[in-house]
Amino acid sequence: MTEANSRPHDGFHVFDTTLRDGAQREGINLTVADKLAIARHLDEFGVGFIEGGWPGANPRDTEFFARAQAELELKNAQLVAFGATRRAGGKAAEDPQLAALVASGAPVVTLVAKSHDRHVELALRTTLEENLEMVRDSVEFLRSQDRRVFIDCEHFFDGYKANPEYALAVVRTAHEAGADVVVLCDTNGGMLPAGVRDIVAAVLAETGARLGIHAQDDTGCAVANTLAAVDAGATHVQCTANGYGERVGNANLFPVTAALELKYDRRVLPAGSLAEMTRISHAVAEVVNLTPSTHQPYVGFSAFAHKAGLHASAIKVDPDLYQHIDPELVGNTMRMLVSDMAGRASIELKGKELGYDLSSDRDLAGRVVARVKAQENLGYTYEAADASFELLLRDEVNGGERLRFFELESWRTISEQGPEGRAGNEATVKLWARGERKVATGEGNGPVDALDKALRAALESIFPPLAKLELVDYKVRILEGQHGTGSKTRVLIESTDGTGTWSTVGVADNVIAASWVALEDAYTYGLLRADQQP
């Protein structure tokens, strides 16, 4: 493991605990390979410290630190091992858990310590005086082993409210023993920003220790609480990628670092790293196998998406009128959403995004607006189906003439119940393409899958690029209506050709007919991307 310089970003610490605290989120179960991959992403982003886990407490974390020694080449971050203060009544030099922290090879150790008197007496089952000695002895031992030590004061804010004198004594003890940073933890996540600011300021004034903040998000205030602590003088922030963590999560690394860089004007990341934020966020989400939140601040797909016509009119004049930053600063992009709320400005901006200049043809833009609103009144939604909107736009640009690579004669699907309850689905498609009549059948897991295979079989010999086309997502929604099963159905299909993805929409009286409409758009758009001619 190649380490970064001995004091990375030491004026201000960005400390990531995705691999430990973030991994405690329900639904996340990281392998050692996963942890190594995430560590590389975090190092590339430029955090100063990566807390890798608790060596000695479980085999996976012990293996991670062993492999990190040989496999991780960190350029910006230092690896941190997490553990606890020595056991009550023992000696730090003889404590096997502290020995495991030293053996991990990590140059930095974070020790969790009790700072709430009630937790000391009920959870540790020891005296307040012995707990202070546990903190002192553990820090001094690790310092003697040439380890940099951070102390996490667990339940600090609750402990300070209950017994401020004792909570302060824990901070002083850690600081005097040689801990570089004392981290005040809102372990239960119940604090609000004003309270965090006041307590951090008071602790800083009383102790003179370098302070950090670790905020859980149970009140939805973890990012705000972290920034409030910075306002009060904290110079060490503990976060997790995408806010992963136990219960509802931790302070989200990306909004915190973006705020520090762009709102506080603090250089806490290497030059150029902020522009990689969106990519890193999504890369980490991919490793943990969780769909990225589309509405996450700064990095979400919808973070700079505009739907209202009023907003679009202003953005056409100056994007800054409805955006707090330039999205490119964090590696994101502005998007215009097309819906029944769209006005001419929305359509012009969306057209420009897709490569069509509508600004000089008000009648054309007006026709597109009218058609979008009429279609959405029928149940279509174009904000999630850019490919279908682009086809609609092309139709209007070409005088209302629909682009067709094939003309449908008919389609039919059959579903039947076979032996032992096995279901069978078959589809037949009859169509014309480039003067040829094609009849093809397909079998699939469902009627829509069978229809897709039949359509592919009919067209692949004429349009070879369709061999790369694949449907990757399929969503069905029954639209509100008064006729129960007779209500309209909307289908959204996501497709890929291996180099890009696109979404199409179909609406009809039943799911198969709606699926056909979306399939036809998907194939048409895919052939356009492949530069095919009708």
Side-chain angles (χ1 to χ4, degrees):
M1 175 176 58
T2 301
E3 291 293 348
N5 58 67
S6 61
R7 297 292 159 108
H9 312 304
D10 215 46
F12 193 99
H13 294 172
V14 176
F15 180 109
D16 183 272
T17 180
T18 304
L19 302 184
R20 184 192 66 81
D21 216 354
Q24 294 176 183
R25 169 173 166 153
E26 184 176 8
I28 290 181
N29 186 24
L30 300 179
T31 65
V32 174
D34 291 336
K35 296 184 73 162
L36 290 167
I38 292 171
R40 293 186 184 100
H41 287 310
L42 294 170
D43 180 57
E44 183 182 4
F45 183 53
V47 302
F49 301 91
I50 299 172
E51 191 169 65
W54 192 326
N58 64 74
R60 187 176 301 175
D61 283 0
T62 301
E63 181 186 349
F64 167 77
F65 282 95
R67 289 182 60 180
Q69 293 281 354
E71 299 178 34
L72 277 186
E73 296 185 2
L74 300 178
K75 298 177 181 178
N76 295 302
Q78 287 191 307
L79 199 62
V80 182
F82 177 87
T85 55
R86 69 156 171 83
R87 295 172 182 171
K91 294 182 179 180
E94 300 172 358
D95 190 274
Q97 196 269 315
L98 291 178
L101 294 176
V102 173
S104 73
V108 184
V109 172
T110 297
L111 290 178
V112 62
K114 299 295 185 185
S115 57
H116 189 319
D117 57 357
R118 191 162 177 262
H119 280 262
V120 172
E121 294 172 339
L122 296 181
L124 289 183
R125 296 184 180 180
T126 190
T127 65
L128 302 184
E129 293 75 15
E130 171 63 5
N131 181 58
L132 294 177
E133 188 54 37
M134 290 160 60
V135 171
R136 185 187 310 280
D137 190 18
S138 300
V139 173
E140 290 179 346
F141 168 73
L142 290 170
R143 293 288 291 147
S144 74
Q145 299 299 307
D146 199 27
R147 294 303 189 272
R148 193 175 189 186
V149 182
F150 301 154
I151 288 286
D152 279 1
C153 287
E154 191 180 37
H155 296 283
F156 181 83
F157 292 93
D158 296 329
Y160 183 88
K161 291 178 181 179
N163 186 339
E165 292 79 10
Y166 187 73
L168 288 169
V170 175
V171 175
R172 288 193 189 96
T173 300
H175 176 54
E176 292 167 0
D180 283 355
V181 180
V182 181
V183 183
L184 311 185
C185 302
D186 183 20
T187 309
N188 288 342
M191 292 296 293
L192 298 177
V196 169
R197 184 187 61 241
D198 291 347
I199 292 175
V200 171
V203 174
L204 187 62
E206 288 285 338
T207 66
R210 181 173 187 177
L211 299 181
I213 180 69
H214 178 113
Q216 299 293 131
D217 201 33
D218 296 74
T219 60
C221 291
V223 170
N225 286 343
T226 299
L227 297 175
V230 172
D231 289 336
T235 57
H236 171 113
V237 294
Q238 295 195 356
C239 308
T240 62
N242 300 320
Y244 300 145
E246 197 163 20
R247 303 187 307 278
V248 298
N250 289 45
N252 190 332
L253 172 68
F254 303 117
V256 168
T257 51
L260 290 169
E261 289 261 342
L262 299 174
K263 310 295 185 178
Y264 284 65
D265 200 27
R266 287 179 182 260
R267 302 282 76 84
V268 298
L269 298 172
S273 292
L274 194 66
E276 299 297 314
M277 178 181 288
T278 299
R279 181 182 63 80
I280 296 292
S281 167
H282 294 179
V284 173
E286 194 71 31
V287 176
V288 303
N289 199 28
L290 291 176
T291 302
S293 170
T294 57
H295 292 81
Q296 187 176 169
Y298 293 98
V299 300
F301 188 58
S302 299
F304 301 96
H306 303 277
K307 184 172 181 177
L310 179 64
H311 290 204
S313 298
I315 286 171
K316 186 179 175 183
V317 177
D318 182 354
D320 290 344
L321 292 174
Y322 274 96
Q323 293 184 157
H324 69 110
I325 64 164
D326 178 351
E328 291 186 3
L329 292 173
V330 293
N332 210 335
T333 56
M334 184 182 78
R335 296 169 52 243
M336 297 306 302
L337 304 179
V338 177
S339 74
D340 58 358
M341 295 183 183
R344 185 174 283 106
S346 296
I347 295 300
E348 289 182 13
L349 287 168
K350 186 64 178 179
K352 183 178 180 181
E353 183 182 314
L354 297 172
Y356 298 87
D357 183 5
L358 307 181
S359 60
S360 59
D361 193 336
R362 291 180 60 83
D363 289 341
L364 173 58
R367 291 199 306 273
V368 176
V369 170
R371 187 168 168 194
V372 166
K373 294 192 175 192
Q375 289 289 92
E376 295 234 345
N377 190 51
L378 295 175
Y380 283 80
T381 177
Y382 291 104
E383 65 182 78
D386 276 1
S388 286
F389 172 74
E390 185 169 350
L391 293 176
L392 180 155
L393 181 57
R394 284 180 60 94
D395 291 350
E396 295 302 326
V397 169
N398 294 324
E401 183 178 348
R402 177 68 168 171
L403 174 68
R404 295 193 183 280
F405 287 91
F406 54 90
E407 293 284 345
L408 176 69
E409 184 177 309
S410 68
W411 59 260
R412 179 181 65 182
T413 63
I414 300 173
S415 297
E416 60 183 0
Q417 188 80 10
E420 299 178 359
R422 292 193 298 270
N425 297 275
E426 180 182 291
T428 302
V429 171
K430 301 177 183 179
L431 53 79
W432 290 82
R434 290 183 176 173
E436 295 185 46
R437 184 174 186 266
K438 292 287 187 177
V439 179
T441 61
E443 294 182 339
N445 294 327
V448 177
D449 183 39
L451 198 60
D452 173 42
K453 290 179 178 175
L455 182 57
R456 187 187 304 272
L459 293 175
E460 268 189 1
S461 63
I462 300 175
F463 302 111
L466 287 179
K468 297 180 180 179
L469 184 70
E470 182 183 357
L471 306 187
V472 294
D473 199 9
Y474 176 84
K475 297 184 177 72
V476 178
R477 181 176 176 184
I478 305 302
L479 303 178
E480 293 181 6
Q482 298 178 345
H483 304 292
T485 55
S487 298
K488 284 190 177 295
T489 302
R490 179 166 65 218
V491 168
L492 287 167
I493 289 177
E494 185 177 352
S495 307
T496 184
D497 57 6
T499 60
T501 60
W502 61 93
S503 296
T504 54
V505 61
V507 175
D509 291 335
N510 65 72
V511 65
I512 302 176
S515 299
W516 172 262
V517 176
L519 273 175
E520 187 173 2
D521 273 8
Y523 275 68
T524 300
Y525 191 81
L527 290 169
L528 270 176
R529 283 176 54 89
D531 294 323
Q532 297 293 292
Q533 298 298 319

